[in-house]
Amino acid sequence: MTTAEQTAHPHTLRAEHEQRLARVQDVLASRGQDALVVTDPANLYYLTGYNAWSFYMPQALLVPVRGEAHLVLRAMDAKGGHHTATLPPERIHGYPEHYVHRHDIHPWEWIARRGREVGALPTGPAVLALELDAHYFSPRAYLALGACLPQAQLVDSLELVNWLRVVKSDTEIALMRAAGEVTVRAMTVAVDSLRAGARQCDVVAQIQQAQAHGTEALGGDYPAIVPMLPTGETAGTPHLTWVEEPLRQGEATTVELAGVHRRYHVPLARTVSLGPPPARLAQTAEATGLGLEQALAAMRPGSTTADVHAAFTRTIARYGLSKESRIGYSIGIGYPPDWGERTVSLRAEDHTVLTPGMCFHVILGMWMDSWGYETSESVLITDGPPELLAPLDQGLVTHP
Amino acid sequence: MTTAEQTAHPHTLRAEHEQRLARVQDVLASRGQDALVVTDPANLYYLTGYNAWSFYMPQALLVPVRGEAHLVLRAMDAKGGHHTATLPPERIHGYPEHYVHRHDIHPWEWIARRGREVGALPTGPAVLALELDAHYFSPRAYLALGACLPQAQLVDSLELVNWLRVVKSDTEIALMRAAGEVTVRAMTVAVDSLRAGARQCDVVAQIQQAQAHGTEALGGDYPAIVPMLPTGETAGTPHLTWVEEPLRQGEATTVELAGVHRRYHVPLARTVSLGPPPARLAQTAEATGLGLEQALAAMRPGSTTADVHAAFTRTIARYGLSKESRIGYSIGIGYPPDWGERTVSLRAEDHTVLTPGMCFHVILGMWMDSWGYETSESVLITDGPPELLAPLDQGLVTHP
């Protein structure tokens, strides 16, 4: 039995979920808030284990400052809730089908009513924290909930649960290492598949096969973002998805992907040149590699995220390079459309102090006019140097 | 050159995008609204061709009732906008990186300001329509926009653009047929891969390879939803994703997937029994198949969606079966997390009149306690009988 299998035993997780919910309640109490409405699917998974592709419909975990949390899903998904969430069945509720996609009624009216009935949402004057910038919590949901709780003051949770996720438990570190094994395999397949004449879609076909397969011991899970494969001219921009055009000799492709195990993500990026790279690309790769070395060297407990950013930008500045966007972000559980935790960024304006158990994707995208270079590492902060979660050769890959 | 390649020529699409934008402006004028803010990525693609995995960050198309539409993206994505959107570069704007993931400022403040500067958003008293129930438009975005436009009355667009998408153009019908070719191939691979002893993740690996590959002539694109593979006991609920457990002889698996070409989706579901099916499963499959036949027979121009639903429920009622949830929905362009258009549902409360050019996923999920049966067809409404977009054998598949 692998570490990940051992630590993912439901009973272990139930206890951990209860501890996490208790921490949420502690924060609510310290803020003088009466309840939190959790809608981010990664936060639902973190707090209860609930895991299904049901987040395109309204769903929520209702956490009162005292008492028990309740999960409300679409009726057809409530049964799935019983399979994955560690909450007891009587705390999982399903709203009826006829609330779906209507202009006259909204599922959040049902959620608000049931929440009050079971004591998970306040009935009178209260302060209610909401995930106001989460994916999958729409303004219409927000307005419907507010209308049903007219005495409640609605405030932003400011990513309360996301911030609790930043430092990983031992269980989670084992899952991240397992995801890293999937990443190494998927990136190896990706680099091997990038050949002149191969259609972009066929390279992605190989990568996705590797991502789902995982390893013989560990199943792969779906990534929050599909493989990114900007190539040739489009390598100057990061988020275009593949087309059916073949790769051309003499061009470079950047590939960004994640290995995933049980929703834990370890992303990685590499750049592959088909044929000898132009001097500008080779030089940028070298400077970026030196910058990465310095950034990793700065990732020690007690350093700040701004220190890490400074170590990188100082190094590449010597080569006449600069980078405006952040050079990384906190990672862990991910659901589409993003595998970032939406908390810590590695940038000049962020002063988070690094602590063992934090995990980051250090991603160095150097996007130029009509070309680009990208490389990255996913790392775990330890007492010593950061641990590479998906160790693979660094630097520009050149195929003959 | 295939039909899809011919019709997808940028100049053809630019003209079609302009016509679509003009239709949006006509609707705004008829409603007395001054502008529409479009955030749904499928609507952005429909109106401009913009296509990238950038929807996890704020982005919008600003459409004034008169004058020119402007697209606002994160700075690093604006370059990608130039590659895919048919808007001229001067109407594509990028907000600076330091607006990302902050508690003190929000990208929507920048979007609102730029929108006013270029005349795409009102500066004084006005009625502004917003996609209040779209994915990827958060309450915080809504509140930030409202605060920047204090004289504007914010109203719900009520899926204005989604409703324009319901009837497909000839260009779109060609793309749907192309997607259907991918679907047939991917479902054939799925059915062949479902064997006792195969790990669920490895079956998905084969499916995803087929989805990205497409056909020799047509590249596959990423589906808005990953392959669903509820199996054995979990087949009683529709949206659980795969795990690494192997499939077991004597159990049934339902598989739901989509073939995708250039963001157009043709979904399909089938159920595979490993070994002779239990009587209840075989009987449910037969009754559902007869219900499907009747539903398809009812899908003629002039019929309503409620008629289609009634034809199905009347038929299965004869076998003692009933189904509470809708039996289908409008399909076309899709982005995660959903390939439905969020407009027409095939259900008793929906009275949309069927028109040639509409496309539906007729999906019959019969979820029972700890088992289930699922089958579907994706169809195009024509002047005659509906055209099956992914023609494959109907009914329960049994592997020995």
Side-chain angles (χ1 to χ4, degrees):
Chain A
M1 205 184 255
T2 66
T3 318
E5 280 164 341
Q6 258 171 342
T7 53
H9 187 280
H11 286 270
T12 316
L13 288 176
R14 188 189 303 270
E16 197 153 328
H17 293 152
E18 284 170 5
Q19 287 162 16
R20 294 171 186 172
L21 279 165
R23 288 179 63 203
V24 170
Q25 292 179 315
D26 287 346
V27 178
L28 289 175
S30 73
R31 293 182 178 176
Q33 297 173 345
D34 298 284
L36 171 71
V37 175
V38 181
T39 47
D40 181 328
N43 292 343
L44 293 179
Y45 183 64
Y46 182 73
L47 295 175
T48 72
Y50 178 65
N51 181 25
W53 193 289
S54 57
F55 39 85
Y56 63 96
M57 288 289 179
Q59 54 182 27
L61 181 73
L62 311 174
V63 188
V65 65
R66 277 176 299 278
E68 288 174 334
H70 287 254
L71 183 62
V72 192
L73 308 166
R74 184 180 179 190
M76 68 169 68
D77 295 314
K79 279 199 272 184
H82 302 157
H83 282 283
T84 60
T86 58
L87 291 178
E90 66 274 16
R91 288 203 266 140
I92 301 178
H93 312 267
Y95 59 80
E97 187 61 24
H98 67 268
Y99 278 84
V100 166
H101 292 170
R102 294 267 291 259
H103 284 158
D104 51 339
I105 53 177
H106 197 278
W108 272 93
E109 297 163 14
W110 198 95
I111 296 174
R113 195 164 54 239
R114 177 56 58 97
R116 280 200 316 255
E117 283 165 8
V118 298
L121 287 178
T123 48
V127 180
L128 185 61
L130 308 175
E131 298 184 325
L132 288 186
D133 222 6
H135 302 298
Y136 314 127
F137 184 54
S138 72
R140 206 174 151 214
Y142 167 77
L143 295 169
L145 177 61
C148 293
L149 303 173
Q151 293 184 280
Q153 181 194 350
L154 307 183
V155 301
D156 197 331
S157 77
L158 301 176
E159 285 72 41
L160 189 167
V161 183
N162 305 59
W163 281 99
L164 295 181
R165 285 163 45 200
V166 171
V167 176
K168 272 68 188 166
S169 69
D170 291 344
T171 312
E172 294 186 287
I173 290 170
L175 290 163
M176 289 296 280
R177 287 181 179 137
E181 289 185 43
V182 179
T183 307
V184 167
R185 193 175 172 285
M187 183 57 85
T188 303
V189 167
V191 168
D192 288 348
S193 306
L194 287 164
R195 301 288 172 179
R199 297 190 308 172
Q200 294 176 29
C201 58
D202 288 327
V203 174
V204 171
Q206 297 306 313
I207 295 171
Q208 292 197 314
Q209 185 183 38
Q211 285 175 310
H213 170 74
T215 70
E216 292 305 316
L218 300 162
D221 201 351
Y222 63 90
I225 308 178
V226 293
M228 294 290 180
L229 214 67
T231 187
E233 281 210 358
T234 65
T237 180
H239 298 129
L240 294 183
T241 51
W242 69 88
V243 292
E244 63 207 16
E245 292 303 306
L247 300 173
R248 287 184 294 201
Q249 188 66 17
E251 291 195 340
T253 301
T254 65
V255 54
E256 185 175 353
L257 57 80
V260 188
H261 183 65
R262 300 190 184 173
R263 306 309 322 132
Y264 281 82
H265 282 59
V266 170
L268 200 66
R270 289 291 183 271
T271 300
V272 178
S273 176
L274 300 182
R280 64 185 186 184
L281 177 59
Q283 285 156 9
T284 300
E286 200 188 334
T288 307
L290 293 170
L292 175 61
E293 261 177 41
Q294 294 306 308
L296 294 179
M299 297 188 85
R300 298 295 184 111
S303 298
T304 71
T305 44
D307 296 336
V308 177
H309 185 264
F312 175 73
T313 51
R314 208 164 40 225
T315 308
I316 64 168
R318 284 191 218 120
Y319 299 83
L321 294 173
S322 65
K323 178 168 166 59
E324 279 187 35
S325 49
R326 59 184 181 170
I327 64 161
Y329 46 80
S330 186
I331 50 170
I333 301 168
Y335 280 85
D338 194 6
W339 57 50
E341 290 185 328
R342 300 190 293 113
T343 47
V344 186
S345 288
L346 302 177
R347 60 181 165 191
E349 311 87 37
D350 190 310
H351 299 282
T352 307
V353 176
L354 300 185
T355 311
M358 290 183 174
C359 293
F360 294 99
H361 185 212
V362 184
I363 167 87
L364 308 166
M366 308 302 289
W367 301 297
M368 313 301 184
D369 273 341
S370 72
W371 66 283
Y373 177 72
E374 215 173 313
T375 192
S376 81
E377 292 297 342
S378 278
V379 302
L380 166 69
I381 304 299
T382 72
D383 290 322
E387 176 182 326
L388 298 186
L389 289 164
L392 264 182
D393 287 346
Q394 245 302 323
L396 178 66
V397 180
T398 303
H399 285 330
Chain B
M1 205 182 255
T2 65
T3 318
E5 279 162 343
Q6 258 170 343
T7 53
H9 186 281
H11 287 270
T12 315
L13 288 176
R14 188 189 304 271
E16 196 153 329
H17 292 153
E18 284 169 5
Q19 288 163 14
R20 294 172 187 172
L21 279 165
R23 288 180 64 204
V24 170
Q25 291 179 315
D26 287 346
V27 178
L28 289 175
S30 74
R31 292 182 179 177
Q33 297 173 345
D34 297 285
L36 171 70
V37 175
V38 181
T39 47
D40 181 328
N43 292 343
L44 293 180
Y45 182 66
Y46 182 72
L47 295 175
T48 72
Y50 178 65
N51 181 24
W53 194 289
S54 58
F55 38 84
Y56 63 96
M57 289 289 180
Q59 54 182 28
L61 181 74
L62 312 174
V63 188
V65 65
R66 276 176 300 278
E68 289 174 334
H70 287 255
L71 183 61
V72 191
L73 309 166
R74 185 182 179 190
M76 69 169 70
D77 294 315
K79 280 199 275 184
H82 302 156
H83 282 284
T84 60
T86 59
L87 291 178
E90 66 273 17
R91 289 203 265 138
I92 302 177
H93 312 267
Y95 59 80
E97 186 62 23
H98 67 268
Y99 277 84
V100 166
H101 292 170
R102 294 264 292 257
H103 284 157
D104 51 338
I105 54 177
H106 197 278
W108 272 94
E109 297 163 14
W110 198 95
I111 296 174
R113 195 164 56 238
R114 177 56 59 98
R116 280 200 316 255
E117 283 165 9
V118 298
L121 286 179
T123 48
V127 180
L128 185 61
L130 308 175
E131 298 185 325
L132 289 185
D133 222 7
H135 303 296
Y136 314 128
F137 184 54
S138 72
R140 208 176 148 209
Y142 167 78
L143 296 169
L145 177 62
C148 294
L149 302 172
Q151 293 184 282
Q153 181 194 349
L154 307 183
V155 301
D156 197 331
S157 77
L158 301 175
E159 285 74 41
L160 189 167
V161 183
N162 305 59
W163 280 100
L164 295 181
R165 285 163 45 200
V166 171
V167 176
K168 272 69 187 166
S169 69
D170 291 344
T171 313
E172 293 186 287
I173 289 170
L175 289 163
M176 289 296 280
R177 287 180 180 139
E181 288 184 44
V182 179
T183 306
V184 167
R185 193 175 172 286
M187 183 57 85
T188 304
V189 166
V191 168
D192 287 348
S193 306
L194 287 164
R195 300 287 171 179
R199 297 190 307 172
Q200 294 177 28
C201 58
D202 289 327
V203 174
V204 171
Q206 297 306 314
I207 296 171
Q208 292 197 312
Q209 184 182 40
Q211 286 175 309
H213 170 75
T215 71
E216 291 306 314
L218 300 162
D221 201 349
Y222 63 89
I225 307 178
V226 293
M228 295 289 180
L229 213 68
T231 188
E233 281 211 359
T234 65
T237 180
H239 298 128
L240 294 183
T241 50
W242 69 87
V243 292
E244 62 206 20
E245 291 303 305
L247 299 173
R248 286 184 295 201
Q249 188 66 18
E251 291 195 338
T253 301
T254 65
V255 54
E256 184 176 354
L257 57 80
V260 188
H261 183 66
R262 299 186 184 177
R263 310 305 325 133
Y264 282 81
H265 282 61
V266 170
L268 200 66
R270 288 290 184 271
T271 300
V272 177
S273 176
L274 300 182
R280 63 185 186 184
L281 177 57
Q283 286 156 8
T284 301
E286 200 188 333
T288 307
L290 294 169
L292 175 61
E293 261 177 42
Q294 294 306 310
L296 293 179
M299 297 187 86
R300 297 296 184 112
S303 297
T304 70
T305 43
D307 295 335
V308 178
H309 185 265
F312 176 73
T313 50
R314 209 165 38 226
T315 309
I316 64 168
R318 281 190 220 121
Y319 299 85
L321 294 173
S322 65
K323 178 167 165 58
E324 279 188 34
S325 50
R326 60 185 180 169
I327 64 160
Y329 46 81
S330 186
I331 50 169
I333 301 167
Y335 279 86
D338 194 6
W339 58 49
E341 290 185 328
R342 300 191 294 112
T343 48
V344 185
S345 289
L346 303 177
R347 59 180 165 192
E349 310 87 36
D350 190 310
H351 300 281
T352 308
V353 176
L354 299 186
T355 311
M358 290 182 174
C359 293
F360 294 99
H361 185 211
V362 185
I363 167 87
L364 307 166
M366 309 301 289
W367 302 297
M368 313 301 185
D369 272 341
S370 71
W371 65 283
Y373 176 74
E374 216 174 313
T375 192
S376 81
E377 292 296 341
S378 277
V379 302
L380 165 70
I381 304 299
T382 72
D383 291 323
E387 175 183 326
L388 299 186
L389 288 164
L392 263 182
D393 287 346
Q394 245 303 323
L396 178 67
V397 180
T398 302
H399 287 328

